[in-house]
Amino acid sequence: NAGVTQTPKFQVLKTGQSMTLQCAQDMNHEYMSWYRQDPGMGLRLIHYSVGAGITDQGEVPNGYNVSRSTTEDFPLRLLSAAPSQTSVYFCASSSPGLNTEAFFGQGTRLTVV
Amino acid sequence: AQTVTQSQPEMSVQEAETVTLSCTYDTSENNYYLFWYKQPPSRQMILVIRQEAYKQQNATENRFSVNFQKAAKSFSLKISDSQLGDTAMYFCAFMFQTGANNLFFGTGTRLTVIP
């Protein structure tokens, strides 16, 4: 079972470049979300989606864009990369209801120089 | 955003000993979930244990158990018979029972198991 798949695993960008972090899940989960992990700060929510066509901002949305055209995919776009976006990015998915659990991808380490 | 506090940035324990990681949180909600995640050097986020706020009984998973004190808003993780493979970063996290299942994380505790 693939679960939640993130690509790429590592990426180096130059300031001002744009890129898309891919996230796909094969568990038919309605909910998907993006987090960034920075040293000493834990994981913080960037954007999330409760279903195809529905997205909303999290705690740190500035500089990022998302869309959800299918249940399976939830890409995260950096429109103009900045050094402050150097971080490890995690995608997660889950389903609503009791006894729910968030499943995480392997993470993407992004460096902006 | 909910506040989750882990006051121990680093801890160490001797192999086969017991260690307790602390976590406190702040919420006005009555129904929610609490989690402990393990992040080894591989970077993968691994669910260790979960607790439903409506359950009075503390959750246990093999060598891992929690002490959930709802009134005190405290959620500590006890690891018994520590193993070298327990060396990792541990995150405490909060989730509302209703909503989009978004997680609010603490800043983490880096645990080192010493052989």
Side-chain angles (χ1 to χ4, degrees):
Chain A
N1 292 337
V4 180
T5 302
Q6 286 184 237
T7 55
K9 288 187 172 56
F10 300 93
Q11 182 71 49
V12 178
L13 284 181
K14 293 183 178 180
T15 298
Q17 286 185 317
S18 63
M19 81 159 293
T20 300
L21 306 185
Q22 301 292 344
C23 177
Q25 53 96 3
D26 62 359
M27 297 172 282
N28 202 33
H29 285 165
E30 294 180 43
Y31 299 158
M32 296 186 74
S33 52
W34 278 100
Y35 298 85
R36 60 177 288 172
Q37 181 180 10
D38 301 296
M41 300 189 74
L43 281 75
R44 293 179 293 166
L45 182 66
I46 305 172
H47 284 286
Y48 64 97
S49 169
V50 297
I54 306 170
T55 63
D56 206 345
Q57 297 181 353
E59 185 184 357
V60 288
N62 292 340
Y64 307 96
N65 200 3
V66 292
S67 60
R68 182 118 180 254
S69 55
T70 67
T71 299
E72 295 78 19
D73 300 299
F74 190 43
L76 178 72
R77 296 181 186 86
L78 283 70
L79 305 175
S80 178
S84 61
Q85 294 178 303
T86 293
S87 188
V88 178
Y89 293 85
F90 287 95
C91 178
S93 74
S94 64
S95 56
L98 294 178
N99 300 319
T100 188
E101 174 186 342
F103 293 83
F104 284 84
Q106 317 95 305
T108 296
R109 179 175 292 280
L110 175 67
T111 302
V112 183
V113 298
Chain B
Q2 301 301 297
T3 302
V4 178
T5 302
Q6 294 179 249
S7 58
Q8 306 152 314
E10 295 186 8
M11 293 192 71
S12 61
V13 62
Q14 290 289 139
E15 192 175 7
E17 296 295 308
T18 296
V19 64
T20 299
L21 309 184
S22 300
C23 174
T24 59
Y25 57 95
D26 186 22
T27 185
S28 58
E29 295 290 319
N30 194 46
N31 297 315
Y32 48 88
Y33 302 110
L34 294 164
F35 303 86
W36 278 97
Y37 281 90
K38 170 185 178 180
Q39 187 181 46
S42 68
R43 204 169 64 203
Q44 182 67 41
M45 294 291 287
I46 302 167
L47 178 63
V48 175
I49 199 166
R50 57 177 285 141
Q51 175 79 43
E52 292 82 0
Y54 62 85
K55 291 185 177 178
Q56 292 187 341
Q57 186 173 7
N58 289 326
T60 62
E61 285 289 341
N62 300 313
R63 298 183 294 107
F64 299 88
S65 61
V66 298
N67 183 3
F68 173 49
Q69 301 289 329
K70 190 172 184 180
K73 296 179 183 176
S74 171
F75 183 61
S76 61
L77 174 70
K78 185 171 82 171
I79 306 174
S80 303
D81 186 25
S82 296
Q83 300 176 0
L84 297 179
D86 296 334
T87 292
M89 195 77 167
Y90 288 82
F91 290 99
C92 177
F94 173 102
M95 178 192 287
F96 291 107
Q97 185 172 311
T98 57
N101 289 357
N102 294 324
L103 289 159
F104 299 91
F105 287 88
T107 52
T109 296
R110 185 173 301 281
L111 177 68
T112 301
V113 180
I114 302 167

